[in-house]
Amino acid sequence: MDARTFWLAGRPATGDAELTVTNPHDGREVGRHSVPTDAQVEEAIAAAHGVARQAAALPVHVRAEALAHVSRRLSERAEEIAQLITAENGKPIFWARGEVGRAVATFRFAAEEARRWSGDVQRLDTEPAAAGRLAYVSRVPYGPVLAITPFNFPLNLVAHKVAPAIAVGAPVIVKPAPATPLSSLVLGEILAETDLPAGMFSVLPIENERASALVQDPRLPVVSFTGSAPVGYAIADQVPRKHVTLELGGNAAAVVLADADLDWAAQRIALYSNYQAGQSCIAVQRVIVEQPVYDAFVERLLPAVSALVTGDPADEKTQVGPLVSEHAAQRVEQWVQEAVASGARVLAGGTREGATYAPTVLDGVPHDAKVACEEVFGPVLILQPVGSIDEAYALVNDSKYGLQAGVFTRSLDAAFRANRELEVGGVIIGDVPSYRADQMPYGGVKDSGIGREGLHSAMDDLTYEKVMVLTGLSL
């Protein structure tokens, strides 16, 4: 098996070492890739810095057509890339195909937003002293973007950093997760087919410990990171004068109020607590249920969880695959065992086989157990009965995280109250917190991060407002 090249300033390159990528389900080798040397990393940074002015001045049609080309090529190669995601990530092929479809849309949305991206005009002659003056307000990229991406969505979360950067005219250097670099290397291959200038993008699959030099380099004024809160805030602390965006973790809550459709809620919560093997920052982790419907809800939830098909991610029927590594599954197992030792009950699951952890439901979990107050990032949900809507919303907020929450209710009043009171970046009414449309603003508060993704929001985040005042005009 030949080692894949990485992408250095828009061209394929090889270093002096290789790393192997393995399948978390069965441990087989699925690919190898070349690793950039320190000199090649420096070359990529210098190229991004050197092309920044040219990139910012690129005509809109050039940026938009490059993004549209990527969208088309991802669609044409969808099955190949989905199989690659499944192989390197362990994500069931059903979900991998969904991820590729989302990446297709993400680049398409970016192409559309690039064509709409334009300045605003503001008349200033609202006061006599400003007669004849008009302001043209445009947005300008801060400069090259360092994109540090996670393993759980190895294509679409890379797309959410690369696409808006290109749309605004910012060079981008991708540092993919070491466990899942192959999907981003294919994306680099497709980007190389476009007419973007050399230096506009690089994909550098380096080890995590080498990322600090990239983070600290002043020629990369923007750091966009997706991952855990401790790592994200450590990055922000290293570079307090840089523009840092952080999409961090969560322990997302789904609230089931007494008027909810319990069948729908149970099916959705069962599936989206366990999709991606729970390795999503908006996977359902805490399920808060009003007491009058608690027993009826649990009666529906447990069979729905038990019915999920767990197994080989390459199997078309599999809904829950392995975690990214056996070490990750062992950590989840340990957290569940700690909760049980403190008084929690296992209603479903609670077993591990290699890197696969069975979909698990717990109740009676102490408030300070890790599975309640930290991010499990595994297929585990906890049940929390409450006596009222007041208690339910307070419990959602009783978390250091605030990414998204779901509220199952038929009441508009309860819905708008949730929007007013819940301390999260997104409130999903009538569905799980795991819902995300790729064009919508997406991000959190508290320890869930800083900044927003979603194409238009990310484009805003990568740029600053610049005002030109025209004088002596006849308005």
Side-chain angles (χ1 to χ4, degrees), residues 116-313:
R116 285 192 288 265
W117 193 248
S118 187
D120 295 324
V121 174
Q122 182 179 1
R123 288 184 65 147
L124 302 179
D125 61 343
T126 54
E127 299 296 328
R133 294 180 186 263
L134 180 143
Y136 172 72
V137 184
S138 58
R139 298 198 70 92
V140 179
Y142 289 106
V145 177
L146 171 60
I148 303 176
T149 60
F151 71 81
N152 56 331
F153 288 86
L155 178 66
N156 196 41
L157 290 187
V158 178
H160 269 285
K161 299 186 185 301
V162 171
I166 292 172
V168 301
V172 58
I173 294 177
V174 176
K175 189 272 174 208
T180 56
L182 303 181
S183 303
S184 58
L185 292 174
V186 171
L187 180 58
E189 179 184 331
I190 293 173
L191 284 165
E193 299 170 355
T194 70
D195 293 329
L196 294 171
M200 189 73 177
F201 75 92
S202 293
V203 182
L204 305 180
I206 59 174
E207 304 89 332
N208 286 339
E209 55 268 22
R210 296 176 61 195
S212 181
L214 286 161
V215 168
Q216 296 182 34
D217 196 293
R219 293 168 294 178
L220 302 176
V222 179
V223 180
S224 179
F225 171 84
T226 298
S228 71
V231 175
Y233 285 123
I235 288 172
D237 290 343
Q238 285 183 60
V239 285
R241 296 182 181 179
K242 285 195 176 189
H243 184 76
V244 177
T245 65
L246 303 175
E247 202 282 278
L248 306 178
N251 56 2
V255 176
V256 181
L257 297 179
D259 68 335
D261 180 335
L262 299 184
D263 292 315
W264 166 254
Q267 291 294 327
R268 297 293 284 178
I269 288 169
L271 182 60
Y272 282 93
S273 173
N274 298 290
Y275 88 120
Q276 315 285 143
Q279 297 171 122
S280 167
C281 47
I282 46 176
V284 181
Q285 182 172 328
R286 299 181 294 146
V287 183
I288 301 165
V289 187
E290 277 200 286
Q291 190 69 63
V293 295
Y294 182 80
D295 290 341
F297 172 76
V298 173
E299 288 174 1
R300 291 163 169 79
L301 175 70
L302 295 181
V305 170
S306 298
L308 295 172
V309 179
T310 302
D312 183 350

Side-chain angles (χ1 to χ4, degrees), residues 369-407:
K370 289 181 180 137
V371 294
C373 60
E374 300 292 341
E375 181 179 36
V376 173
F377 225 60
V380 177
L381 69 81
I382 67 170
L383 293 165
Q384 299 173 296
V386 293
S388 67
I389 188 173
D390 295 347
E391 189 180 350
Y393 289 0
L395 194 53
V396 173
N397 291 338
D398 188 15
S399 171
K400 63 183 178 182
Y401 297 108
L403 189 46
Q404 294 199 156
V407 180

Side-chain angles (χ1 to χ4, degrees), residues 324-337:
V324 72
S325 67
E326 186 168 357
H327 176 73
Q330 288 169 341
R331 178 193 55 77
V332 173
E333 179 181 46
Q334 180 184 357
W335 284 21
V336 170
Q337 289 173 348

